Amino acid sequence: MFPRLSLFVSSILQNRKQKKDFLKIEDFIRSEQKQIDTLPLSSETKKGTLIVKCDDIGDFLLWQQVIPHIKANADGPITFVGNSVIKPLIEAWFDFADHYIWIQKSKWDDVNYRMDIYKQLRLINAKVAFTPLFTRHFRMDDLMLYASNADSRYAWDRSHHPYFPEITVSDPLITNPIKSEEVLQLEYIRHIEFIETIYNIEITHEVKPLFPNFTKYKTLIVFPAANTKSRWWNYKKYAQTIQAVSPLFDKIFLMGGPNAADYAKEIEQTANEPKLVNMVNQTALTELMAFIGEASVLLCPDTSAMHFSVLTATNTVVLSNGNNWQRFANYQPYVQCKFKVVFPSYFKPEPNKVKLNYSGAEIQAITVAQVVEAIKDCISN
C-alpha cells in the first residue's frame, strides 16, 4: 500500500504546484511579449524555415526520423534552434540545417540572455517557424517562435497540453495551431504526424532503427539514472539484478553522466561483481551509441538511453512508474528487437488512460525478480 499512498500524497502536492505554475507562466508570457514587441522589424522579404526544439537528448532522438522529410519539404535556408547538449549528436549523425543557434537552458532565467536570443531570431527573418513539442514549452520554445515574427508559426494546439490546456495567453504566440484526432500516441509517431500535417505529405508510421548493423556481443549495459530521482531504482536492487544475471553475460557496463557517479559507485561496490565495469562519466555522448549498439541488452529507466537502443535495434528492459508510458515507452508494437517495459506489479497499464502524477516510491515497488525475468526473456530465442 505504501507506493499508492505515496502517489496519493504526491499527486496532491503536484496538482497544487501546477496551479501555481500556471499563474507564473501566464505572467511570464505577458511580460516577455511586451519585451519582444519592442524589437525592430525587418523590411526585407521573409524567407526560410526556423525550427525551435530545445528539449533534451531523448526527445531529440525520438525526432530523428522526420529530418529527411524536413530537408525535402522545408523552404531554405533552415535554421535550427536547439538545446546545446545535443550539439555532439547533430555534428556526428544528424547535421541537416543551414544554421544553428544553441540554447544554454541554464541561462534562460537571465533576461539579458533571453533578449539576445530573441534579437538573433528576429534578424533571421524566417517566413515559416515551428516547434514540434507535443507538450509545448510556453516559457521558452513558444516565445522564441513569437520573437521570430514568422508569417506562419506552427505548434500543437494548446488543448493537447497534458498540464496546461487552458493557458489561453499563449494563443497569440502561434498562428497555426495543429490539432490531432489521436489522443494518445507514441511520441516518435507523433513527430511524424506533425510533419505530415505541416507539409501535407504522407509518411509511413513506423519506427526505423537508423543504426541496426552493430555486431552484438554478450554484454549488458546498465544505465541506472534518469533526469528525475523519482525514476531511480534502489542501488541495492540494481546490484542484486547484476549478480543474478552475471552468468548470462561476458561483461556488464555501468554507464551514465556525472549526475550518476555516486549512485553508480554504490551499485558497483554492493554488486562486487568481477564482470562489472563502471564507466559512468567516462564516455562521450556519441560513444554511448556504440556501447548500446553492441550490447545484447540495455537495462535503464525511462530515459534517453532507451531511445539509443531503439536506433540501434538493441533488446531493452525499461523500468517505469507508468507515467506517460504510452507516449515515450510504448515501442514494442513498432520494433523487431525485444523491448520490455517493467511496471510495479500493482500498476495495470491501460492504453487509453494517461498517468500524469508520480511518486518516488513507485519505482521501488518493481522487484528484482521482475527485472531478472525480463532480461532473461530478452536473450532467449
Side-chain angles (χ1 to χ4, degrees):
M1 285 296 293
F2 177 70
R4 301 187 196 192
L5 177 60
S6 176
L7 175 61
F8 176 75
V9 174
S10 294
S11 297
I12 293 174
L13 297 175
Q14 288 164 33
N15 291 336
R16 287 178 179 174
K17 183 177 183 300
Q18 285 170 18
K19 290 178 181 179
K20 294 179 180 179
D21 288 345
F22 184 96
L23 298 176
K24 290 179 181 178
I25 292 171
E26 276 195 323
D27 289 343
F28 188 82
I29 290 174
R30 290 192 183 99
S31 174
E32 292 295 283
Q33 277 186 281
K34 291 178 181 178
Q35 294 293 322
I36 291 169
D37 287 343
T38 65
L39 297 175
L41 300 173
S42 174
S43 59
E44 297 183 5
T45 302
K46 295 178 182 179
K47 62 179 181 180
T49 302
L50 175 71
I51 303 168
V52 182
K53 193 178 192 309
C54 295
D55 45 10
D56 296 324
I57 296 167
D59 302 284
F60 174 76
L61 294 173
L62 279 162
W63 186 71
Q64 49 72 35
Q65 188 172 326
V66 302
I67 289 176
H69 300 284
I70 293 171
K71 290 177 67 175
N73 292 279
D75 292 332
I78 298 173
T79 299
F80 180 79
V81 183
N83 186 342
S84 59
V85 300
I86 69 162
K87 186 178 179 181
L89 296 177
I90 288 279
E91 293 174 341
W93 297 298
F94 304 113
D95 187 6
F96 73 100
D98 300 290
H99 179 58
Y100 294 93
I101 296 176
W102 297 113
I103 303 298
Q104 297 182 51
K105 294 175 73 171
S106 61
K107 292 185 176 182
W108 196 249
D109 286 334
D110 183 335
V111 63
N112 293 323
Y113 180 78
R114 294 197 305 272
M115 287 305 296
D116 181 61
I117 296 296
Y118 295 151
K119 290 173 184 177
Q120 290 183 55
L121 296 171
R122 183 63 61 92
L123 289 173
I124 289 169
N125 205 31
K127 184 176 182 179
V128 176
F130 67 80
T131 176
L133 307 186
F134 194 67
T135 302
R136 282 168 51 186
H137 197 321
F138 300 114
R139 293 184 79 257
M140 182 179 291
D141 298 52
D142 279 28
L143 286 166
M144 285 192 272
L145 238 63
Y146 183 71
S148 76
N149 197 42
D151 292 338
S152 300
R153 303 190 295 274
Y154 294 88
W156 285 110
D157 191 275
R158 62 170 167 79
S159 63
H160 291 308
H161 200 288
Y163 302 104
F164 305 116
E166 298 177 352
I167 195 156
T168 56
V169 71
S170 72
D171 289 348
L173 307 180
I174 305 300
T175 62
N176 299 72
I178 294 176
K179 286 193 174 183
S180 174
E181 296 180 0
E182 298 292 338
V183 178
L184 278 173
Q185 191 156 240
L186 182 66
E187 205 81 350
Y188 192 109
I189 305 300
R190 185 74 75 186
H191 286 314
I192 295 174
E193 180 188 8
F194 185 85
I195 297 303
E196 283 183 312
T197 305
I198 288 182
Y199 296 116
N200 193 27
I201 58 176
E202 290 187 5
I203 306 171
T204 303
H205 286 199
E206 63 181 353
V207 175
K208 290 182 179 179
L210 289 190
F211 308 97
N213 297 320
F214 281 102
T215 300
K216 302 296 184 184
Y217 297 95
K218 290 180 65 176
T219 59
L220 169 67
I221 303 294
V222 180
F223 195 99
N227 58 1
T228 57
K229 288 291 184 72
S230 63
R231 286 182 271 169
W232 288 32
W233 205 33
N234 188 284
Y235 72 93
K236 293 181 181 178
K237 291 186 175 183
Y238 272 120
Q240 292 166 10
T241 300
I242 289 167
Q243 290 171 339
V245 301
S246 175
L248 306 175
F249 300 96
D250 293 335
K251 284 289 183 183
I252 300 173
F253 293 102
L254 275 175
M255 307 199 78
N259 67 322
D262 294 338
Y263 181 37
K265 194 67 177 176
E266 289 181 310
I267 296 171
E268 178 187 17
Q269 292 175 344
T270 305
N272 192 27
E273 168 53 55
K275 292 182 181 179
L276 180 62
V277 181
N278 185 353
M279 297 192 67
V280 168
N281 201 27
Q282 296 182 47
T283 56
L285 183 60
T286 50
E287 292 174 321
L288 183 60
M289 179 84 83
F291 271 97
I292 292 176
E294 293 181 346
S296 298
V297 183
L298 166 72
L299 170 63
C300 66
D302 175 355
T303 191
S304 60
M306 71 177 182
H307 305 302
F308 278 111
S309 71
V310 169
L311 291 183
T312 58
T314 298
N315 295 333
T316 306
V317 175
V318 174
L319 310 183
S320 173
N321 58 19
N323 198 57
N324 275 307
W325 69 272
Q326 302 96 328
R327 290 179 59 191
F328 302 107
N330 192 28
Y331 275 116
Q332 189 58 73
Y334 298 94
V335 297
Q336 293 185 3
C337 60
K338 293 184 179 181
F339 193 98
K340 299 187 171 297
V341 184
V342 182
F343 301 106
S345 58
Y346 65 84
F347 176 75
K348 305 302 178 187
E350 299 177 44
N352 297 318
K353 185 176 181 180
V354 182
K355 179 178 181 292
L356 295 177
N357 294 319
Y358 55 87
S359 82
E362 292 178 287
I363 202 78
Q364 308 309 331
I366 295 174
T367 66
V368 171
Q370 284 179 278
V371 179
V372 169
E373 180 182 359
I375 292 172
K376 288 181 177 180
D377 188 58
C378 276
I379 58 177
S380 64
N381 295 326

